[in-house]
Amino acid sequence: GRHPIWLRFNDARSSLYLSLQVAIAPRHWNPNDARRPVRKSHPHADEINGLIAARLAAAESERLRLLTAGLPD
């Protein structure tokens, strides 16, 4: 079967999970490569890896915005 892809974010001992609304077979998952977690053998690997990278970048941008919010300019 296929398994959904979730991103997990941790901060201050709490976790937040974000679903990517994508599911893949475990054989297509590459746990040893953080840059390309979906193997090239998956027909939509480039698109899914791009989606993962985009969501991670957006989350990092939001984290940095929240860290700097309230700090004097």
Side-chain angles (χ1 to χ4, degrees), residues 31-42:
N32 300 321
D33 188 355
R35 290 180 173 228
R36 297 192 53 81
V38 178
R39 297 181 192 271
K40 291 180 182 180
S41 60
H42 190 281

Side-chain angles (χ1 to χ4, degrees), residues 6-69:
W6 290 80
L7 300 179
R8 181 179 71 187
F9 302 97
N10 296 313
D11 185 46
R13 290 186 263 167
S14 64
S15 295
L16 171 71
Y17 293 88
L18 174 67
S19 173
L20 294 183
Q21 304 293 316
V22 175
I24 63 170
R27 71 179 181 274
H28 293 298
W29 188 252
N30 185 7
N32 300 321
D33 188 355
R35 290 180 173 228
R36 297 192 53 81
V38 178
R39 297 181 192 271
K40 291 180 182 180
S41 60
H42 190 281
H44 302 292
D46 290 336
E47 291 87 352
I48 297 171
N49 285 326
L51 176 63
I52 292 169
R55 295 286 171 89
L56 289 174
E60 180 64 11
S61 292
E62 181 65 11
R63 185 183 76 83
L64 291 173
R65 186 190 68 77
L66 291 170
L67 283 174
T68 58

